[in-house]
């Protein structure tokens, strides 16, 4: 399910934080060279940013997650060869301490999530429930020697169910964690913003926060160590210059000099606006965080044979070589499944 940002405008304007800032003559557009050591962007001839989108490889065939609901996003633990995926809790689930089964619509409004842990081959290795965290548009996975930390939106808005903060929590198989638990530290780097969704650039030790502010969809980039220390000074603030009017955001990622985002809808019936024989309306776009503006946009043609095909999540796999990966939700009897396709440089 997408982040449509219906309460905000989608008009595009770039902001960037840094030492050197140049203001454009029209519209107050500004761009900058950032302070995190990245340089100007380069685009693949047939792709977006630094990735080619011409020859997708299937990394994960349609695979069931712990819950029956559709996937929202995913991310990789490349050190162990695992994949983590986020979805909403399914209808009628009753967790320990809950007085009754809870309907799906109520779970959605509360921001109740389930995280599944998978092997590269798709075997379910564990799961964790997160109550009151958010919608799950994007996810960060930070591996360490002893455990894996999940970066998720947190502090769900009681009306929309989307997160207003960001939390870094240890994955614990079988656990039920509430957003209001004392162990959960909520990072609020952008007070007053809406729909905060985190992603990680592990190679660059950076944090990406997708958010809505002042009627615009924007991204903020932080050094991870400073973010964790509570020093929320972004190296870049970037307006979404890539999405077109009416396109739902289905995920975001950060790698090198680019922010990558996934947009699109599920197939409609053959007489609808997005029928299966149209090739779908899924696109991957890149935004150059240092030079400013779009760095490519490509139609994604992976998994066209799926009878139901909704784009859900985008992430970068670093090992054995960097790949930009897109996820799709498909339907089987009684449940949704996740498939993942990768694109090389």
């Amino acid at each position: 399910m997408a982040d449509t940002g219906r309460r905000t405008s989608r008009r595009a304007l770039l902001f960037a934080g840094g030492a050197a800032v140049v203001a454009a003559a029209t519209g107050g557009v500004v761009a900058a060279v950032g302070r995190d050591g990245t340089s100007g962007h380069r685009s693949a001839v047939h792709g977006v940013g630094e990735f080619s989108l011409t020859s997708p490889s299937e990394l994960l065939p349609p695979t069931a997650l712990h819950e029956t609901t559709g996937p929202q996003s995913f991310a990789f633990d490349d050190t162990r060869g695992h994949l983590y995926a986020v979805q909403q809790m399914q209808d009628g689930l009753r967790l320990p301490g809950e007085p009754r089964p809870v309907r799906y619509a109520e779970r959605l409004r509360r921001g109740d999530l389930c995280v599944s842990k998978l092997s590269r081959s798709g075997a379910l290795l564990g799961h964790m429930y997160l109550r009151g965290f958010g919608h799950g548009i994007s996810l960060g996975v930070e591996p360490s020697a002893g455990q894996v930390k999940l970066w998720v939106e947190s502090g769900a808005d009681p009306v929309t169910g989307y997160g207003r903060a960001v939390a870094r929590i240890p994955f614990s198989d079988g656990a039920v964690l509430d957003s209001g638990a004392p162990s959960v530290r909520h990072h609020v780097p952008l007070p007053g913003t809406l729909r905060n969704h985190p992603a990680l650039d592990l190679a660059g030790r950076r944090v990406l926060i997708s958010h809505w502010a002042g009627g615009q969809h924007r991204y903020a980039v932080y050094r991870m160590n400073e973010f964790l220390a509570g020093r929320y000074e972004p190296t870049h603030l970037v307006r979404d210059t890539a999405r077109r009017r009416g396109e739902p955001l289905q995920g975001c990622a950060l790698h090198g000099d680019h922010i990558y985002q996934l947009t699109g809808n599920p197939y409609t019936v053959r007489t609808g606006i997005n029928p299966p024989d149209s090739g779908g309306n899924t696109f991957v776009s890149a935004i150059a965080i240092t030079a400013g503006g779009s760095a490519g946009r490509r139609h994604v043609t992976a998994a066209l044979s799926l009878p139901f095909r909704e784009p859900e999540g985008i992430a970068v796999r670093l090992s054995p070589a960097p790949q930009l990966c897109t996820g799709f939700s498909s339907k089987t009897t009684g449940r949704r499944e996740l498939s993942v396709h990768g694109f090389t440089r």
Side-chain angles (χ1 to χ4, degrees), residues 1 71 179 343:
M1 190 179 298
S179 185
F343 303 86

Side-chain angles (χ1 to χ4, degrees), residues 15 41 56 63 81-82 105 127 160-162 179 197 204 206 209 216 232 250 264 270 272 296 300 305 343:
F15 284 87
H41 74 280
T63 299
H82 297 154
H127 73 281
T160 67
Y162 285 81
S179 185
H197 310 303
R206 294 179 298 171
I209 306 295
Q216 302 288 339
Y232 305 127
Q250 299 283 12
R270 295 195 178 277
V300 179
S305 63
F343 303 86

Side-chain angles (χ1 to χ4, degrees), residues 18-86:
V21 179
V22 181
T26 59
V29 181
V30 296
V33 176
R35 295 177 289 114
D36 62 349
T38 54
S39 58
H41 74 280
R42 63 180 178 88
S43 295
V45 174
H46 299 293
V48 294
E50 298 185 3
F51 295 94
S52 170
L53 269 72
T54 55
S55 301
S57 60
E58 186 179 70
L59 303 181
L60 183 74
T63 299
L65 304 178
H66 183 74
E67 301 287 275
T68 62
T69 55
Q72 296 298 311
S73 61
F74 63 94
F76 297 97
D77 175 0
D78 288 310
T79 64
R80 298 174 178 86
H82 297 154
L83 181 149
Y84 291 80
V86 177

Side-chain angles (χ1 to χ4, degrees), residues 122-178:
L124 184 63
L125 303 177
H127 73 281
M128 181 180 184
Y129 288 115
L130 306 176
R131 291 190 296 202
F133 278 78
H135 195 81
I137 292 291
S138 62
L139 170 70
V141 171
E142 180 191 353
S144 63
Q147 61 182 184
V148 167
K149 298 290 183 66
L150 303 177
W151 290 65
V152 293
E153 60 188 283
S154 63
D157 185 296
V159 176
T160 67
Y162 285 81
R164 296 169 293 180
V166 172
R168 174 179 178 257
I169 59 173
F171 177 82
S172 179
D173 184 24
V176 179
L177 181 65
D178 290 302

